[in-house]
């Protein structure tokens, strides 16, 4: 764990530098290669800096600004949202295996998406799918919270169990609707559940930018309250904290930005589970540092997975949800094994 203030500052600087370098690599790599000289030229021009390098061709210009750039921005936003939400959920539940989908967000989004596809609305407007997925996710969270709210309290364990029950119920409803779909719509839903950033456009950036950035800033500002909440109810009450209010607020914000990310990119697993745990090992349990570091590394991790998926077998693309699962699942198994050893179980 990094202990000194200077070391933590250097860590954040290195993380930002690595993220910037990866963005340049991602702008370059893909089925249609955009030379680095063109990438540098367009980045400088976009930032209104003195331009140098090579002017792009018409095809390179279109690929850079209308395909690669919005896709990268969506990857950064969704990765940051999922990882920060995972850090908050793990703090609220005091459980390193908690993730943003633990209270039914993902299953609710899937249910909303399958309703939209079954009604044939995806061909009418770009915004119908995200709107239905977002509505389904929020509906699932509200139902989960209402099921556990008793006598002015929301017990974390009851919330977790209710989330599992709601997820199973909505999963059954989703599977029921899938049995009545034709092959084309079934394939459309399958691609959405795998999770991917292909065909992301500036419309998707406009849809997700303000909610995710607002949510992330709010979580970082309130991080010190999460530090108190994670100490336990007795300690938090002794410090005068309104536990119900702050717990509900953290659950709502983290669920909301998760829902926005899921409805924009589909169901992408392991980012909200693996990234916060890695950052906790490196930077420590202080949420004032853990949430921003998780957001930065989540953005880096998701963009890295997407870049690998685009560059590995061109012109074919491996969807980012597959890459995150392939990289995240082994670490998840390692985490379970480590926890069993620390708990004395064999």
């Amino acid at each position: 764990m990094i202990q000194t203030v200077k070391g933590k500052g250097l860590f954040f600087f290195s993380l930002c530098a690595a993220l910037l370098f990866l963005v340049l690599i991602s702008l370059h790599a893909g089925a249609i290669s955009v030379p680095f000289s063109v990438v540098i030229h367009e980045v400088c021009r976009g930032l209104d800096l003195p331009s140098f390098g090579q002017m792009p061709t018409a095809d390179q210009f279109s690929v850079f600004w209308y395909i690669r750039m919005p896709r990268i921005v969506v990857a950064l936003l969704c990765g940051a949202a999922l990882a920060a939400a995972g850090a908050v959920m793990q703090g609220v539940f005091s459980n390193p295996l908690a993730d943003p989908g633990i209270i039914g967000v993902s299953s609710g989004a899937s249910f909303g998406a399958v309703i939209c596809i079954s009604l044939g609305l995806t061909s009418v407007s770009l915004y119908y799918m995200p709107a239905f997925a977002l509505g389904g996710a929020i509906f699932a969270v509200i139902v989960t919270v209402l099921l556990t709210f008793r006598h002015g309290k929301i017990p974390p364990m009851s919330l977790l169990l209710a989330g599992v029950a709601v997820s199973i119920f909505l999963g059954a409803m989703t599977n029921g609707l899938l049995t009545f779909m034709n092959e084309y719509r079934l394939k459309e839903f399958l691609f959405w559940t795998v999770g991917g950033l292909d065909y992301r456009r500036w419309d998707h950036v406009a849809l997700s930018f303000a909610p995710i950035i607002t949510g992330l800033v709010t979580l970082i500002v309130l991080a010190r309250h999460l530090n108190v909440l994670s100490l336990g109810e007795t300690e938090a009450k002794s410090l005068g904290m309104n536990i119900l209010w702050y717990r509900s607020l953290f659950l709502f914000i983290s669920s909301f930005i998760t829902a926005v990310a899921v409805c924009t990119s589909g169901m992408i697993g392991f980012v909200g589970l693996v990234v916060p745990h890695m950052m906790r090992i490196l930077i420590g349990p202080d949420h004032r540092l853990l949430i921003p570091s998780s957001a930065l590394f989540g953005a880096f991790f998701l963009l890295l997975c997407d870049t690998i998926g685009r560059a590995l077998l061109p012109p074919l693309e491996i969807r980012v949800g597959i890459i995150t699962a392939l990289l995240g699942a082994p670490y998840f198994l390692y985490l379970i094994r480590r926890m069993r050893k620390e708990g004395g179980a064999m």
Side-chain angles (χ1 to χ4, degrees):
M1 184 187 299
I2 302 172
Q3 299 287 353
T4 64
V5 175
K6 183 178 179 180
K8 291 176 180 179
L10 182 61
F11 173 78
F12 274 96
F13 176 79
S14 302
L15 202 54
C16 291
L19 184 59
L20 177 60
F21 179 73
L22 179 60
V23 168
L24 298 178
I25 295 291
S26 188
L27 287 168
H28 160 74
I32 299 176
S33 179
V34 178
F36 276 112
S37 57
V38 173
V39 170
I40 298 299
H41 180 276
E42 289 303 293
V43 169
C44 291
R45 190 173 68 85
L47 296 175
D48 200 23
L49 298 173
S51 298
F52 61 94
Q54 179 183 342
M55 287 283 292
T57 64
D59 289 341
Q60 289 171 347
F61 182 87
S62 297
V63 169
F64 185 94
W65 286 110
Y66 300 114
I67 297 177
R68 299 265 170 88
M69 187 62 79
R71 179 172 182 161
I72 289 172
V73 175
V74 169
L76 297 177
L77 289 171
C78 292
L82 293 172
V88 171
M89 289 289 186
Q90 291 173 11
V92 169
F93 288 100
S94 299
N95 187 343
L97 298 182
D99 77 333
I102 200 168
I103 56 175
V105 176
S106 299
S107 58
S110 296
F111 183 61
V114 78
I115 291 176
C116 181
I117 293 172
S118 63
L119 294 175
L121 296 176
T122 53
S123 59
V124 177
S125 172
L126 169 72
Y127 295 102
Y128 276 117
M129 172 77 89
F132 271 77
L134 180 60
I138 294 175
F139 169 77
V141 173
I142 291 174
V143 171
T144 302
V145 171
L146 289 178
L147 287 174
T148 56
F149 184 79
R150 290 290 184 277
H151 308 296
K153 295 182 179 180
I154 304 178
M157 185 56 65
S158 298
L159 190 68
L160 191 152
L161 295 175
V164 172
V166 170
S167 297
I168 293 174
F169 177 78
L170 292 178
M173 295 290 290
T174 300
N175 292 332
L177 288 174
L178 290 175
T179 60
F180 297 101
M181 282 188 179
N182 59 39
E183 184 178 350
Y184 172 77
R185 291 179 177 175
L186 191 62
K187 187 180 294 185
E188 185 179 359
F189 178 76
L190 175 62
F191 274 98
W192 185 83
T193 55
V194 171
L197 300 171
D198 45 329
Y199 305 112
R200 300 304 94 175
R201 299 294 179 262
W202 289 112
D203 291 333
H204 296 92
V205 175
L207 178 72
S208 58
F209 184 84
I212 289 178
I213 294 299
T214 303
L216 289 175
V217 171
T218 305
L219 289 176
I220 292 171
V221 170
L222 296 174
R224 64 187 183 90
H225 297 286
L226 184 57
N227 284 340
V228 177
L229 188 62
S230 62
L231 294 175
E233 289 196 9
T234 304
E235 290 79 1
K237 283 182 179 179
S238 66
L239 294 173
M241 170 175 278
N242 188 333
I243 296 176
L244 176 63
W245 163 251
Y246 280 105
R247 180 171 289 160
S248 301
L249 184 62
F250 282 120
L251 288 174
F252 173 77
I253 296 174
S254 56
S255 298
F256 181 73
I257 62 174
T258 299
V260 173
V262 169
C263 77
T264 304
S265 62
M267 294 175 62
I268 298 175
F270 290 102
V271 178
L273 175 65
V274 171
V275 171
H277 187 74
M278 294 176 65
M279 291 300 100
R280 189 175 287 105
I281 293 174
L282 292 173
I283 207 75
D286 186 349
H287 289 91
R288 292 174 297 178
L289 298 176
L290 180 61
I291 293 176
S293 65
S294 295
L296 284 172
F297 192 73
F300 178 88
F301 179 70
L302 191 59
L303 181 58
L304 176 64
C305 291
D306 185 53
T307 304
I308 292 173
R310 287 193 286 112
L312 199 59
L313 298 170
L316 299 176
E317 289 190 9
I318 303 174
R319 292 176 71 83
V320 67
I322 298 173
I323 302 295
T324 58
L326 289 174
L327 296 179
Y331 185 83
F332 180 64
L333 294 174
Y334 159 76
L335 176 59
I336 294 176
R337 182 177 178 85
R338 177 180 173 181
M339 291 182 65
R340 290 179 62 188
K341 284 184 176 180
E342 290 177 354
M346 295 299 292

